[in-house]
């Protein structure tokens, strides 16, 4: 019955959905973009990328291209290699970073 668990399952997810954290609303009034694997867009990207390897058909590959294009637009080129910001405010969703050379 783990899928209905309050901590990791559907019950916990549904309990959290109607709530809004006032502290995060103050920090990110227009929402935010998260680049991380655990809590951001990279998690769904990894899932979509691995689905065909597991024999799961993904009909719409547009999502993978859209996610990759958005990640590419935010890539920071640094002397140590490429990196991405951890999080951006929603007000900057359509903008890329200032490139660091």
């Amino acid at each position: 019955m783990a899928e209905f668990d309050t901590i990791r399952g559907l019950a916990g997810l549904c309990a959290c959905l109607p709530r809004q954290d006032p502290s995060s609303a103050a920090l990110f009034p227009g929402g935010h973009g998260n680049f991380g694997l655990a809590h951001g867009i990279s998690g769904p990207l990894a899932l979509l990328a691995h689905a065909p390897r597991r024999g799961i058909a993904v009909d719409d590959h547009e999502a993978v291209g859209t996610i990759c294009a958005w990640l590419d637009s935010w890539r920071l080129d640094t002397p140590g290699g490429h990196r991405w910001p951890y999080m951006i405010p929603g007000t900057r969703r359509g903008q890329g970073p200032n490139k660091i050379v």
Side-chain angles (χ1 to χ4, degrees):
M1 303 300 288
E3 64 270 18
F4 301 108
D5 188 79
T6 302
I7 303 292
R8 297 183 184 170
L10 188 59
L13 177 63
C14 291
C16 292
L17 285 176
R19 298 174 186 230
Q20 181 177 0
D21 181 1
S23 62
S24 69
L27 289 173
F28 301 106
H32 71 280
N34 187 315
F35 294 82
L37 185 62
H39 304 290
I41 196 63
S42 298
L45 177 62
L47 177 68
L48 290 169
H50 282 281
R53 297 181 72 189
R54 299 282 188 173
I56 301 167
V58 179
D59 293 334
D60 186 6
H61 293 284
E62 184 179 342
V64 172
T66 301
I67 294 169
C68 288
W70 188 72
L71 288 170
D72 285 345
S73 74
W74 280 95
R75 186 184 73 216
L76 298 167
D77 300 319
T78 69
H82 305 305
R83 67 179 188 87
W84 287 261
Y86 172 70
M87 193 180 309
I88 58 163
T91 55
R92 296 204 53 211
R93 267 190 304 261
Q95 306 168 5
N98 295 327
K99 296 291 182 183
I100 300 171
V101 179

